[in-house]
């Protein structure tokens, strides 16, 4: 149980939480949401007793154990397994006592060790570490041998292993790949304590949470249900409050009209005074205000003849080490591809190859001569010139002297006015991500490669990115742990595994189930596949679906061209130009007929 009682929290002169209360019952799984900088992480500090409130209090039963991801490590020489095991303080202390315990104390210690299932501790720790992407060969390595991203994973593993009644997780998927995120989602669904989860990931908020705590303009507002239910409820409340406000304003105007008319007439003075008191007692209805609309806008790419990229019998890697081999694929001008596969399998290597950052070690690659590729990766934020402003950085990148052109492009991604002139070191993580979107797209690329684009974006910015990518006319390759983003953007799934990249036979649910299946499940499935003949060619179905979507996009473009030509007839008077337009229109109509027929044929085949 967590009781938040009328708290006010201030950092410097800024009030983050004001006169807010909430009650969280035992076992609830709570999604803590709100824009970046609204005070979500500050609320966690208050709950952990790391920060005092200006007013109010937070009550947690004294016996409650709180687990959270720690940012610092005491000893980098400690092995990964020992680091995680040591988070069970009681087990560690009991094992220490065994060394000096008397014969009388031994029985009591062993009884307690059995009660806390100490014998299975290593197996449980290994299971968590495996789920988060660590191999068995990693378990005895010292912490210092792991990169910062992997150290964040081990800190998360320690928080999950530590016995607790309350678990606080602040954006836990930010350092995970899709595979580890899927495992974490499954693990948190089984957690028996009270979970508070700060996240901008709609999928995980819908899958895990049964309660939403929304930090809305310094107020904590509670909602029962997952994120989708919260959104529907809030939208309904917004409409209802707006109607009540309109009704109240009409009543206010009516009362005020009576007062203005009769206030100084002796026969009506008493009634006028009564209405004045009614006006004074009227409280303003607090309307629900959405955050200012965020919009991203990727420039329209140059239309290029397909394919954009073709690779035959390719191999790629670093130095003499081949990471991926037997690469055979083409990327069309409107492909929407999501790369699946655990970290370290070669997704980023493939992205670097396609974007011309790596060369083939074997095989052939053909790129359209006019192809421009926009490449986004989180590590690029570390390479930004921190002492420059976005305007200065983009002016140099674009080789553009006219500041108005640079500012216009930055504004496509929400970096307007003062943000465009703020030094990069003073930008938030989300604002740096927006700058990287601007940097990757200034030359109107026909192919966007996005490696974890969502990590520092809040909910509104993520929605803006999805809208912009769906409106973008070029090809997209996506690497992300965000299932919601994949579901709304990708038409094709490619699996990068065992040094190969192949189309994945199935959808995201199939992939999720495959990752979470046990060894016995996998053996049973393999046995079934051997004994039963496959009735459906999933690969062919996936190919047909992709072709249908491509034809639909082509029809949309053709209909736009048709409308443009038809509109020109009203403007043109010259006979030769009219004849030319008629020929163009005839060609477009013919192309539409052919495309529609191909669409019907594919649907019939499907």
């Amino acid at each position: 149980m967590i009781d938040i009682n009328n708290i006010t929290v201030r950092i410097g002169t800024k009030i983050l939480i004001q006169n807010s209360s909430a009650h969280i019952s035992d076992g609830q799984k709570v999604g803590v949401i709100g824009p970046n900088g609204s005070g979500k992480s500050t609320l966690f500090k208050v709950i952990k007793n790391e920060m005092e409130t200006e007013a109010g209090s937070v009550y947690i039963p004294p016996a409650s154990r709180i687990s959270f991801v720690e940012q610092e490590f005491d000893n980098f020489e400690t092995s990964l397994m020992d680091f995680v095991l040591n988070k069970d303080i009681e087990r560690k202390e009991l094992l220490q006592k065994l060394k000096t315990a008397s014969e009388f104390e031994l029985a009591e210690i062993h009884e307690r060790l059995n009660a806390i299932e100490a014998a299975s501790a290593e197996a449980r720790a290994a299971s968590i570490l495996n789920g988060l992407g660590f191999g068995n060969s990693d378990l005895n390595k010292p912490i210092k041998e792991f990169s910062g991203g992997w150290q964040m994973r081990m800190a998360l593993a320690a928080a999950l292993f530590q016995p607790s009644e309350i678990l606080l997780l602040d954006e836990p998927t930010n350092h995970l790949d899709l595979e580890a995120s899927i495992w974490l989602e499954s693990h948190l669904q089984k957690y028996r304590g009270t979970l508070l989860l700060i996240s901008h990931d709609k999928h995980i908020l819908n899958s895990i949470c049964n309660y939403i705590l929304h930090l809305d303009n310094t107020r904590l507002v509670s909602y029962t249900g997952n994120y989708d239910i919260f959104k529907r409820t809030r939208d309904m409340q917004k409409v209802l409050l707006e109607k009540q406000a309109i009704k109240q304003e009409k009543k206010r105007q009516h009362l005020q009209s009576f007062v203005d008319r009769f206030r100084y007439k002796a026969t009506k003075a008493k009634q006028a005074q009564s209405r004045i008191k009614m006006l004074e007692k009227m409280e303003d209805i607090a309307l629900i205000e959405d955050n200012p609309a965020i919009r991203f806008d990727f420039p329209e790419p140059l239309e290029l003849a397909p394919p954009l990229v073709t690779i035959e019998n390719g191999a790629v890697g670093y130095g003499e080490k081949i990471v991926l081999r037997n690469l055979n694929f083409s990327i069309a001008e409107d492909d929407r591809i999501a790369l699946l596969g655990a970290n370290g399998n070669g997704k980023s290597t493939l992205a670097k190859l396609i974007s011309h950052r790596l060369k083939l070690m074997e095989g052939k690659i053909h790129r359209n001569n006019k192809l421009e590729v926009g490449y986004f990766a989180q590590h690029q934020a570390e390479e930004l010139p921190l002492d420059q402003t976005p305007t200065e950085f983009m002016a140099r990148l674009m080789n553009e002297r006219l500041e108005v052109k640079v500012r216009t492009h930055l504004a496509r991604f929400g970096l307007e006015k003062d943000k465009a002139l703020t030094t990069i070191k003073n930008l938030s993580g989300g604002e740096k991500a927006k700058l990287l979107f601007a940097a990757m797209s200034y030359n109107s690329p026909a192919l966007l490669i996005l490696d974890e684009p969502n990590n520092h974006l809040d909910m509104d910015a993520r929605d803006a990115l999805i809208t912009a990518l769906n409106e973008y006319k070029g090809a997209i390759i996506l690497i992300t742990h965000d299932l919601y983003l994949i579901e709304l953007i990708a038409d094709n799934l490619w699996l990068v595994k065992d040094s190969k990249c192949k189309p994945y036979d199935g959808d995201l649910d199939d992939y999720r189930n495959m990752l979470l299946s046990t060894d016995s499940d996998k053996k049973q499935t393999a046995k079934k596949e051997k004994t039963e003949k496959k009735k459906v060619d999933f690969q062919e179905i996936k190919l047909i679906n992709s072709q249908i979507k491509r034809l639909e996009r082509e029809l949309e473009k053709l209909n736009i061209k048709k409308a443009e030509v038809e509109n020109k007839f009203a403007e043109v008077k010259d006979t030769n130009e009219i004849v030319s337009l008629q020929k163009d229109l005839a060609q477009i109509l013919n192309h539409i007929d052919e495309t529609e027929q191909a669409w019907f044929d594919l649907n019939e085949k499907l």
Side-chain angles (χ1 to χ4, degrees), residues 442-544:
Y442 75 92
N443 56 354
S444 304
L447 170 61
L448 299 181
I449 300 177
L450 299 154
D451 192 344
E452 296 293 359
N454 267 358
N455 271 2
H456 294 287
L457 302 182
D458 60 20
M459 207 82 75
D460 292 333
R462 290 180 182 213
D463 287 343
L465 177 62
I466 288 170
T467 300
L469 291 177
N470 278 323
E471 292 175 352
Y472 172 69
K473 303 299 183 185
I476 295 171
I477 295 176
L478 190 60
I479 303 171
T480 181
H481 65 261
D482 189 334
L483 284 166
Y484 186 75
L485 181 61
I486 295 175
E487 287 167 352
L488 292 182
I489 299 299
D491 296 334
N492 302 300
L493 304 177
W494 289 5
L495 179 59
V496 181
K497 185 180 180 182
D498 300 329
S499 300
K500 297 176 183 177
C501 174
K502 293 184 177 180
Y504 179 68
D505 296 336
D507 57 21
L508 282 174
D509 286 336
D510 296 326
Y511 188 62
R512 183 181 185 279
N513 292 335
M514 180 193 77
L515 291 174
L516 297 177
S517 61
T518 62
D519 288 339
S520 60
D521 291 334
K522 291 174 183 175
K523 288 177 183 176
Q524 191 173 353
T525 301
K527 186 177 180 182
K528 188 175 180 181
E529 286 176 352
K530 286 180 182 178
T531 55
E532 291 184 6
K533 185 177 179 182
K534 233 179 179 181
K535 295 180 180 179
V536 181
D537 188 340
F538 290 105
Q539 180 56 33
E540 187 175 2
I541 287 175
K542 201 161 188 62
L543 180 61
I544 293 171

Side-chain angles (χ1 to χ4, degrees), residues 554-565:
E554 181 65 22
L555 278 170
E556 186 181 348
K557 293 177 183 177
L558 287 169
N559 281 309
I560 291 171
K561 287 182 179 178
K562 174 174 169 283
E564 289 173 351
V565 172

Side-chain angles (χ1 to χ4, degrees), residues 367-416:
R367 291 184 178 86
N368 188 299
N369 290 332
K370 295 181 180 179
L371 176 64
E372 295 286 351
V373 179
Y375 182 76
F376 176 100
Q378 279 298 333
H379 69 81
Q380 293 172 331
E382 300 168 7
E383 301 166 5
L384 289 169
L386 299 182
D387 292 327
Q388 291 183 20
T389 67
T391 301
E392 292 168 342
F393 169 67
M394 286 304 303
R396 182 171 297 180
L397 190 64
M398 296 168 67
N399 194 25
E400 179 59 63
R401 293 182 180 179
L402 289 176
E403 185 176 316
V404 66
K405 288 188 177 181
V406 176
R407 296 283 292 272
T408 299
H409 183 68
L410 286 169
R412 285 176 176 267
F413 300 95
L415 293 173
E416 301 176 271

Side-chain angles (χ1 to χ4, degrees), residues 136-158:
N136 289 330
S137 60
D138 294 324
L139 302 184
N140 293 316
K141 291 180 181 177
I143 293 172
K144 66 181 181 181
E145 291 189 16
F146 296 92
S147 66
W150 284 99
Q151 286 178 4
M152 290 305 299
R153 289 197 192 204
M154 66 178 69
L156 175 58

Side-chain angles (χ1 to χ4, degrees), residues 19 31 34 49 75 179 211 290 334 345 357 466 468 523 603:
N19 301 330
N49 205 26
N75 185 356
E179 290 65 27
Y211 195 77
D290 291 325
D334 54 2
N345 279 5
R357 284 165 171 76
I466 288 170
K523 288 177 183 176
N603 273 281

Side-chain angles (χ1 to χ4, degrees), residues 99-118:
K99 297 176 181 179
T100 57
S102 64
E103 193 172 328
F104 174 76
E105 293 171 320
L106 283 174
E108 186 179 343
I109 293 172
H110 280 296
E111 185 178 345
R112 184 56 191 162
L113 285 169
N114 287 334
I116 63 173
E117 299 179 335

Side-chain angles (χ1 to χ4, degrees), residues 1-2 23-30 60-61 64 165-166 192-195 210:
M1 178 186 74
I2 302 174
H23 175 80
I24 300 166
S25 301
D26 290 341
Q28 280 187 327
K29 292 183 169 66
V30 182
I60 298 171
S64 298
E165 283 72 46
I166 298 171
R192 294 179 182 177
T194 303
L195 170 67
N210 52 22

